[in-house]
Amino acid sequence: MSNPAAIIDVGTGYTKMGLSTNTSPQYIIPTMLGERDKTLTSSSITKKQGLDELDFLIGDEAFENQKAYPPTRFMDHAIVADWDKMEKFYEQCYYRYLRINPEEHPVILTEPPLNTPENREYLAEVMFETFNVPGMYIAVQAVLAMCSTWISKSQTNKTLTGTVIDSGDGVTHIIPVSDGSVIPSAIKHIPIAGGDLTKFILDNLRERGEQIPQDEMLTIARTIKEQNCYVTSDIVKEYNLYDQKPDEFFKTFEGINRVTKKPFSVGVGYERFLAPEVFFNPNILSADYTVPVPMLVDQAIQQSPIDCRRPLYGNICLSGGSTMFKHFDKRMQKEIQKLVNERLDSAEKRTGAKPTPIDVKVIGTKYQRFAVFFGGSMIASSETFPTLCKTKAQYDEYGPAICRTSATFSSLV
Ligand SMILES: Nc1ncnc2c1ncn2[C@@H]1O[C@H](COP(=O)(O)OP(=O)(O)OP(=O)(O)O)[C@@H](O)[C@H]1O
Ligand SMILES: [Mg+2]
């Protein structure tokens, strides 16, 4: 197993993959698989040879050809829902993107918190039997993300105790981790993440009557979000700033219509700060979810064992594309600290004794967007990696059950 490991991190929105010798993924593709619409005439060759089954696309190609290849769902809230399709997806990841022989590279796969042991067994079956990989390690996304913060200057100790805020495209998770193990009963999630912010921006642009090319609406809204949005500390102040200095704060997005090849421009306004505000005031977007993310973080930590609460507040790690907004970290830290201080103050009033202050620290890194991948590449290059991997020989001897549990790598600390 001397070849570098392949890392494949399948998220609800995007799949990040590459070899462990890289610090960021070589390919980021939409987690999407489209199968040829059978009601449309398939090409005579595929029909004749009975190759319809093989007529599918993944990633950007699937995204761009949705009419002829309607997307099929194989992931549901980050958990695999259709294993046949998942297998097809992995096959293309290996042969079309990574272009490596799976038999020659161990593989690191990632799982969301609360993945089932059965799912881990299926994954082992697919990897060892279909792809014949020499070794496999299934890592918990949150734990890899925490590991990735070890490179941060503000990270004073290499610890695997902390709280991960992972906000991607489909869901925002808050995951307390103690010594490399997730504390399952304390996990919180809110089904609001990047995809919802993109739709929110699109709705705002449409309401204002901005002219956006029909075919590319979501892509344009997503690009506007990624390039222009930021977190503010005070919405009212920000509204005033926009009204006082419109030239400085209102932006214009320029693009070329893919179909007509004509240039177009879209005005970008208050949504620059209103979209990420959803994390702090979710009721802007949904009447069903009203608890702000900082409060969910506080609740998750309060539901964790008392002896690890202090380190859980002191090491809050950011992971995923939707934590990338400018000042997201500062505002998160400020609001969680406020909640903690309020609790300490009321304890002081009740008991009369002054409690020891609790320091809240939110840590991001330059690899935050791909924290899970980066954590994977760190693990793969560590000396303990071979001991974490389940090998093909073990699989042949004991069967898929060897993958029901996954070793943590606390031994690295
Ligand atoms: N610089 C950025 N600023 C804000 N959002 C960003 C930025 N870069 C990427 N995103 C958003 O991050 C999201 C993708 O993040 P990520 O790849 O972590 O999600 P995922 O792993 O596919 O989803 P999930 O974790 O929900 O399963 C998209 O909504 C994308 O628009
Ligand atoms: Mg993710």
Side-chain angles (χ1 to χ4, degrees), residues 34-38 40 55 57 64-71:
E35 288 175 330
R36 175 126 194 134
D37 184 348
K38 307 253 165 49
L40 297 173
D55 203 0
L57 300 173
E64 279 157 21
N65 295 287
Q66 295 184 43
K67 278 198 188 114
Y69 292 81

Side-chain angles (χ1 to χ4, degrees), residues 154-200:
S154 55
Q155 183 60 283
T156 38
N157 54 345
K158 286 184 177 182
T159 166
L160 282 177
T161 299
T163 310
V164 175
I165 304 179
D166 182 358
S167 186
D169 202 58
V171 61
T172 299
H173 268 116
I174 290 121
I175 308 140
V177 178
S178 171
D179 281 334
S181 299
V182 168
I183 305 171
S185 57
I187 292 173
K188 301 273 164 213
H189 82 277
I190 171 170
I192 293 180
D196 304 279
L197 304 198
T198 301
K199 281 189 210 109
F200 174 82

Side-chain angles (χ1 to χ4, degrees), residues 39 98 100 169 172 205 213 232 257 276 334 344 361 388 413:
T39 59
L98 296 171
I100 54 170
D169 202 58
T172 299
L205 298 176
T232 173
N257 187 318
K334 198 172 116 197
L344 292 179
K361 192 153 126 197
L388 296 170
V413 184

